[in-house]
Amino acid sequence: MRKTTWMEFLSQHRDQIVAADFFTVEVPTQKGLQRFMVLFFIELSTRRVQIAGISPRANGLWIAIGFSR
């Protein structure tokens, strides 16, 4: 049985791989500077980025909803 290398696996599944991450952005509001969490996905093959959600208070439910889209 031949083992597939990591590079071969990535090459064979490039069109199906999506990465997820967060970044923060600080926005001036009437209450002052407020930090928002942004959940985003990037398609590896096209490098297309999709914003899944933006929230001033990220929690498990918010993350789960973002991942279910």
Side-chain angles (χ1 to χ4, degrees):
M1 179 177 191
R2 181 183 175 280
K3 290 188 177 183
T4 303
T5 67
W6 185 241
M7 289 303 291
E8 289 171 331
F9 176 83
L10 291 177
S11 295
Q12 292 169 1
H13 296 89
R14 187 171 190 257
D15 293 338
Q16 292 89 30
I17 297 174
V18 175
D21 207 348
F22 295 94
F23 65 88
T24 61
V25 62
E26 293 185 350
V27 178
T29 67
Q30 291 179 342
K31 297 179 182 179
L33 207 55
Q34 187 172 3
R35 179 175 292 154
F36 287 85
M37 297 288 299
V38 180
L39 172 62
F40 72 97
F41 297 97
I42 183 168
E43 296 173 13
L44 202 61
S45 62
T46 62
R47 297 183 186 232
R48 180 176 167 210
V49 174
Q50 295 183 20
I51 303 296
I54 302 170
S55 176
R57 288 176 218 83
N59 59 35
L61 179 60
W62 178 76
I63 294 168
I65 290 169
F67 275 97
S68 69
R69 289 184 178 191

